[in-house]
Amino acid sequence: MIGLELVVVLGAAVLVGNVLGRRFRVAPPIALLVVGALIGLVPAVRQTQLPPEVVLLLFLPVLLYWESLTTSMREIRSNLRGIVLLSTVLVILTAGAVAVAGHALGLPWGPAWALGAAVAPTDATAVSALAGSLPRRQITVLRAESLVNDGTALVIYGLAVGITVGEEHLTLPHVGALFLLAYGGGAAVGVAVAWVNMNLRRRLDDPLLGNLVMILAPFTAYLLAEMIHASGVLAVVVSGLIMAQVAPSLIRADHRRQALAFWPLATFIINGALFVLVGVELQYALRHLSRSDLRDALIAIAAVSVVLVAVRFAFLFSSAYLIRAIDRRPEQRQRRMSDRARVVSGLAGFRGAVSLAVALSVPETLDSGAPFPGRAFIVFVTSGVIVVTLVVQGLLLPGVVRWARLPRDTSVDEEEVLAETKATEEAIKALPRLATELGTAEKVVEWLRQEYEAHLATVRARGAGTDDDPALLHNRHYTDLRLALIATKRATVVRLRDESQIDDTVLRRLQAALDNEEVRLAGGEQVE
């Protein structure tokens, strides 16, 4: 199947999967997996194999960069110890436990560790898609864990494959050097790319060029890190986290508007395509197993899935109680999580695109020319484990969340009201001084003061939670009337175009201005 046909098939599959998911109230990743498995029945689709480096380089940097840009750095700092433990120690323990299970099921130790490295890291995009309704602190820890743990898993994978094919040797200094290079080198590359990104964005006035730099940043970070054998994943994440901190004061509004129009759509399509590809890959791997191997592989999928959940639960509970025994500071007590919330976090360890890419990266042959032991088995088991974690855990998670009775997280809404109130109050306070500096007419100053005071009253009423407040009613009436007037203006402009009184170019220009105003009034615009 040629590239264009594959693009059309993947795009149509993403569309159908999301429509079916919403129609039957099933999480979109689950529906996309099913659609992928179905189109994998088509021989032309099943025989088309994307190289694993395409998944790692073309898809992963974009998704990781956007996740980094939209993750709370404040929550990462306050939960840094837990995130580090989850993304390093837990990954190593998980890979080891899976390797033991894989070896017990007949895999040699090297391929067993490769399987463990493939399924050990959780997936950031799957976490965002399936666990996005959790409280902010919990979802931030899960996302941050998923962003960083890929680097640990890839180091373990490189060692396992290198030892198996005869390229690596296993000594403590060598392993330590690999981890140091992966994390230190990846972080250094991320900082360097972010620094270049910041300086270019300061100098580029054209939003198209500025956002081209933004698009290039994750790919550049990933490639440079991989060239020095560091963690490309960590380089992308570090670069994205830095840009998330400096972008609000560095990037201009027109640049940001264009980026916010592009990135959500791009990540939506890429994320959906990856879930479809997992379903397709399951069909492909299935065709490369004999009947007896298939039986063993199905047993392995069940065993590895149980091991993943058991190790994750054991680590979450044991590490929490160990930290409680060691660290009794008051601020540590405030960060404690309930056991029910920890059960939710344990069930939210979804696997996804990185696991699939790692499994597909297993070489076909050893240095001797002999086939790599159990490669088809590793690919099939990894694909099956991804499906199990997404489908089984994804379907169980909503019920477990209800059982956990997690407290409703209102902190984001409260902080939004606080920020809007403070910003508007300071704007009103600065209005006389700014008007004097700019020589603004008194009538304009009074008009702006009334507009800002009305907005401030609306924000305060929204924060108080009183739906029948006069300020809120006034704002609703004002918004409804303005939207109706915009619809009238749009209809008039379209009629003038249809009557050939204005050109399509003029229509598009006026329509863009009306669209911006409508989005602002309707509250549909969110800026990170």
Side-chain angles (χ1 to χ4, degrees), residues 116-156:
V119 299
T122 54
D123 185 71
T125 56
V127 167
S128 297
L130 293 169
S133 61
L134 298 179
R136 176 172 56 177
R137 177 193 173 192
Q138 202 163 0
I139 190 63
T140 300
V141 171
L142 289 169
R143 289 173 66 183
E145 172 201 355
S146 303
L147 289 172
V148 180
N149 61 16
D150 300 331
T152 307
L154 290 172
V155 171
I156 298 172

Side-chain angles (χ1 to χ4, degrees), residues 140 241 293 314:
T140 300
L241 290 175
D293 289 340

Side-chain angles (χ1 to χ4, degrees), residues 149-200:
N149 61 16
D150 300 331
T152 307
L154 290 172
V155 171
I156 298 172
Y157 164 78
L159 277 170
V161 172
I163 291 170
T164 304
V165 301
E167 296 176 352
E168 293 281 4
H169 57 284
L170 185 63
T171 64
L172 188 60
H174 181 60
V175 174
L178 287 177
F179 274 98
L180 182 61
L181 176 61
Y183 283 94
V189 170
V191 171
V193 170
W195 182 83
V196 173
N197 194 352
M198 286 187 288
N199 283 278
L200 287 175

Side-chain angles (χ1 to χ4, degrees), residues 292-339:
S292 60
D293 289 340
L294 177 60
R295 183 190 65 248
D296 294 341
L298 291 174
I299 294 173
I301 290 172
V304 170
S305 299
V306 171
V307 167
L308 291 179
V309 175
V311 171
R312 185 173 181 84
F313 270 81
F315 182 82
L316 286 173
F317 279 90
S318 60
S319 62
Y321 287 109
L322 180 62
I323 291 173
R324 288 185 185 184
I326 297 173
D327 189 350
R328 295 184 173 275
R329 293 175 300 164
E331 54 267 31
Q332 171 60 31
R333 292 175 181 271
Q334 293 176 358
R335 287 199 294 265
R336 288 180 179 176
M337 185 183 296
S338 69
D339 287 342

Side-chain angles (χ1 to χ4, degrees), residues 181-196 217-232 234-240 242:
L181 176 61
Y183 283 94
V189 170
V191 171
V193 170
W195 182 83
V196 173
F219 299 107
T220 304
Y222 192 92
L223 275 175
L224 291 177
E226 290 296 316
M227 287 174 63
I228 64 171
H229 304 291
S231 172
L234 193 61
V236 173
V237 170
V238 169
S239 177
I242 293 174

Side-chain angles (χ1 to χ4, degrees), residues 25 38-39 102 113 134 138 152 161 163 173 178 186-187 239 304 320 358 380 387 390 416 439 450 472 480 510:
R25 296 183 180 180
L38 291 176
I39 65 173
W113 273 98
L134 298 179
Q138 202 163 0
T152 307
V161 172
I163 291 170
L178 287 177
S239 177
V304 170
V358 169
F380 182 79
V387 172
L390 291 176
E416 182 180 351
Q450 291 177 4
L472 286 177
D480 291 344
L510 294 175

